[in-house]
């Protein structure tokens, strides 16, 4: 592990002086690479083959409606003695129909989802956090002060949650407590989801669970199979070590499985485990995650059954995944390792914001051709060609993603990234509100934060039929992933049961803007 540290000099302590130039994302919309634009259009072409057949069927159907019974009889008289023509026409019709139904992707519907809200005994105020951290005797006075400053600038409020094993004195980070936390979060969210949807556990054919840092044996997915007595042929997957963007990776995996397994339900569970991953050392790059990550999780039910479309909330339109792990700087910017005292923690590199910016730029550029109106695409592409190919010195055109989406759910990983995304994408405070309020109320709940944000949007009564929602998350590796959903019905907040509903009238709250001291 020492060799790894020497090979990655960018990982290390975080200090105030060097952080000033690193807490901003690069303006990724001003330096776009053509290859990512081409990749986006490749997705459009590869996924639109079946759409090309729709006009043919439309033209044929329109023409057939103009024919009378006499025309059909005359056509039959002309063809009944011409076996070759009849065979060719019939074969062509069968081929086109088969091609259409074989290439048409199955619709993937989000029936409902549920977010876990921990018990009030798990509440951790900023004062409680500092007090408990001091009483452990693990941190120096300088690093206690450092954590206090991080908390004050983090955007986290006074009602976030930590597991009992971390809040107890002395802390009790053991396997039994970690399993207990995992069970409370997973089973709590799944119980709510099954109650909301009325779906029986035996009906679930696909199970995908993601948790980055806690991967026991038997796996978390096996814990769910055992607890709910899922059927023996359930397709079970357990994703580990994939960071905060793993929730959308799970959605994408479930989507791919639903394309080949008809009439199926897929259960996706996204969470992170705090108990065994609390850092008790004094490496500042590892202390930041203590200040940001909090307890939480979500369960999502997907279906490809056509009958579920009527009651489902959303249809999955697109998923776009970007992985920058081939680059050493990206691979090492979020790294779990031992510090100099052999305590395990997750180190954050000084290059984290720059790496995140590159991953975001790639993902957004690839997604653009799939979602932006044609007018925006023409202006963007024309300007890009003029600058990159013709070498013209003109101002780059920044697409307006607000024309493509009504709602934005940006991973609540930290205040600095939310600030920079708001500026780079030219979003309003209203668009950023779900992400900021989720960070304030629940903290960084890793891969599940996107679902707390969508629950907030529903709780505010903002989701109307036809609205498009963009979920975007990033995490270690380094990865950036997007999912686009279209609302199939207007969501009535009065009928919703989610962790915001008993206090939604208190939000939004004003969070004072304070310059962060670290990236």
């Amino acid at each position: 592990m020492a060799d790894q540290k020497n090979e990655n000099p960018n990982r290390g302590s975080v200090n105030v002086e060097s952080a000033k130039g690193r807490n901003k994302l690069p303006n990724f919309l001003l330096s776009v690479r053509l290859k990512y634009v081409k990749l986006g259009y490749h997705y459009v072409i590869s996924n639109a083959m079946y759409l090309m057949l729709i006009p043919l069927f439309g033209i044929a159907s329109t023409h057939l409606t103009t024919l009378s019974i006499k025309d059909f009889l005359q056509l039959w008289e002309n063809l009944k003695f011409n076996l070759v023509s009849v065979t060719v026409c019939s074969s062509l019709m069968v081929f086109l129909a088969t091609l259409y139904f074989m290439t048409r992707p199955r619709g993937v519907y989000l029936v409902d989802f549920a977010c876990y809200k921990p018990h009030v005994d798990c509440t951790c105020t900023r004062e409680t956090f500092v007090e408990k951290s001091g009483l452990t005797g693990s941190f120096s006075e300088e690093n206690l002060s450092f954590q206090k400053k991080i908390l004050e600038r983090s955007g986290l409020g006074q009602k976030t949650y930590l597991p009992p094993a971390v809040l107890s004195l002395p802390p009790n980070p053991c396997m039994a407590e970690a399993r207990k936390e995992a069970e409370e979060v997973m089973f709590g969210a799944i119980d709510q989801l099954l109650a909301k949807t009325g779906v029986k556990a035996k009906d679930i054919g696909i199970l995908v669970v993601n948790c980055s840092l806690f991967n026991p044996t038997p796996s978390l997915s096996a814990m769910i199979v055992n607890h709910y007595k899922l059927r023996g042929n359930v397709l079970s997957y357990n994703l580990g070590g994939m960071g905060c963007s793993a929730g959308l990776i799970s959605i994408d995996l479930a989507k791919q499985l639903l394309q080949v397994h008809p009439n199926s339900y897929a259960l996706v569970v996204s969470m992170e485990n705090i108990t065994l991953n609390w850092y008790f050392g004094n490496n500042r790059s590892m202390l930041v995650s203590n200040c940001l990550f909090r307890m939480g999780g979500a369960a999502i039910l997907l279906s490809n059954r056509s009958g579920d479309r009527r009651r489902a909330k959303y249809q999955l339109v697109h998923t776009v995944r970007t992985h920058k792990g081939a680059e050493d700087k990206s691979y090492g910017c979020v790294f779990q390792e031992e510090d100099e005292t052999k305590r395990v923690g997750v180190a954050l590199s000084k290059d984290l914001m720059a790496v995140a910016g590159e991953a975001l730029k790639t993902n957004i550029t690839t997604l653009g051709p799939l979602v932006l109106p044609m007018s925006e695409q023409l202006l963007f592409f024309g300007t890009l060609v003029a600058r990159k190919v013709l070498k013209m010195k003109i101002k780059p055109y920044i697409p307006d993603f607000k024309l493509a989406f009504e709602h934005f759910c940006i991973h609540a990983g930290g205040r600095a990234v939310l600030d920079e995304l708001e500026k780079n994408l030219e979003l309003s405070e209203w668009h950023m509100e779900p992400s900021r309020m989720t960070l304030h109320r629940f903290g960084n709940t890793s891969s599940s934060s996107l679902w707390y944000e969508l629950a907030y949007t529903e709780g505010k009564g903002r989701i109307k039929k036809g609205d498009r929602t963009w979920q975007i998350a990033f995490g270690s590796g380094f990865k950036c992933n997007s999912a686009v959903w279209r609302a199939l019905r207007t969501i009535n907040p009065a009928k919703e049961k989610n962790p915001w509903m008993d206090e939604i009238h208190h939000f939004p709250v004003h969070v004072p803007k304070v310059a962060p001291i670290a990236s």
Side-chain angles (χ1 to χ4, degrees), residues 429-486:
E429 292 185 3
W430 187 87
H431 290 114
M432 297 299 298
E433 187 181 309
S435 299
R436 293 194 186 280
M437 292 305 101
T438 294
L439 182 64
H440 175 81
R441 178 62 182 85
F442 293 98
N444 182 348
T445 59
S446 190
S447 57
S448 66
S449 69
L450 299 173
W451 301 104
Y452 287 89
E453 293 165 17
L454 187 56
Y456 179 91
T457 308
E458 291 184 352
K460 282 291 183 178
R462 297 179 179 179
I463 301 293
K464 309 300 180 185
K465 183 177 180 180
D467 281 2
R468 297 153 297 179
T469 300
W470 180 17
Q471 291 181 321
I472 184 166
F474 36 89
S476 59
F478 196 85
K479 300 178 288 293
C480 180
N481 303 314
S482 290
V484 178
W485 304 89
R486 183 175 67 250

Side-chain angles (χ1 to χ4, degrees), residues 93-348:
M93 292 177 64
V94 171
F95 172 75
L96 290 175
T98 303
L99 182 64
Y100 171 74
F101 287 107
M102 291 293 291
T103 59
R104 183 186 62 175
R106 299 179 190 275
V108 175
Y109 309 109
L110 192 161
V111 180
D112 213 330
F113 67 97
C115 300
Y116 176 69
K117 188 173 186 178
H119 192 270
V120 66
D121 292 343
C122 296
T123 303
C124 179
T125 65
R126 289 192 292 268
E127 292 75 19
T128 300
F129 180 96
V130 174
E131 178 188 2
K132 299 280 187 181
S133 296
L135 291 174
T136 63
S138 301
F139 308 107
S140 65
E141 288 298 324
E142 293 80 5
N143 281 333
L144 283 173
S145 177
F146 172 77
Q147 292 181 80
K148 182 178 179 181
K149 290 178 181 177
I150 290 288
L151 279 173
E152 291 171 350
R153 294 160 170 80
S154 64
L156 272 70
Q158 295 285 60
K159 292 185 178 182
T160 60
Y161 302 99
L162 284 174
V166 174
L167 291 175
S168 62
L169 286 175
N172 185 27
C174 62
M175 179 62 75
E177 287 294 326
R179 285 184 179 275
K180 182 178 178 181
E181 179 193 350
E183 290 173 353
E184 288 181 359
V185 173
M186 294 192 305
F187 300 162
I190 295 172
D191 287 346
Q192 293 178 47
L193 180 63
L194 296 181
K196 290 169 72 173
T197 61
V199 172
K200 298 179 181 178
K202 291 288 186 181
D203 294 331
I204 296 170
I206 299 168
L207 172 64
V208 184
V209 182
N210 68 269
C211 182
S212 188
L213 295 175
F214 180 57
N215 294 286
T217 300
S219 66
L220 297 174
S221 59
M223 291 168 62
I224 293 174
V225 172
N226 175 262
H227 181 80
Y228 292 96
K229 308 304 178 187
L230 301 186
R231 63 198 200 201
N233 65 342
V234 64
L235 301 176
S236 175
Y237 298 85
N238 199 98
L239 306 183
M242 304 193 79
C244 299
S245 66
L248 296 185
I249 295 175
S250 296
I251 294 294
D252 182 69
L253 174 58
K255 181 189 78 171
Q256 302 298 335
L257 292 168
L258 288 170
Q259 293 303 310
V260 295
H261 295 281
N263 299 315
S264 297
Y265 283 115
L267 174 62
V268 175
V269 180
S270 294
M271 62 166 292
E272 191 53 86
N273 191 283
I274 306 295
T275 298
L276 280 183
N277 296 290
W278 199 255
Y279 176 62
F280 290 97
N282 283 281
N283 185 322
R284 288 194 175 185
S285 68
M286 297 179 176
L287 283 171
V288 175
S289 56
N290 280 12
C291 301
L292 296 178
F293 283 89
R294 293 295 183 265
M295 187 179 181
I300 304 97
L301 185 68
L302 302 177
S303 173
N304 60 8
R305 302 184 181 194
S306 57
D308 282 323
R309 179 185 173 89
R310 292 190 299 272
R311 66 168 182 148
K313 286 185 172 180
Y314 307 93
Q315 181 171 1
L316 182 58
V317 183
H318 300 293
T319 53
V320 174
R321 293 170 55 179
T322 299
H323 204 308
K324 309 292 284 187
E327 302 170 4
D328 292 342
K329 186 166 69 172
S330 298
Y331 173 73
C333 71
V334 180
F335 209 88
Q336 186 180 28
E337 59 185 352
E338 295 174 327
D339 66 9
E340 56 278 0
T341 63
K342 301 301 180 182
R343 292 185 175 91
V344 176
V346 177
L348 305 181

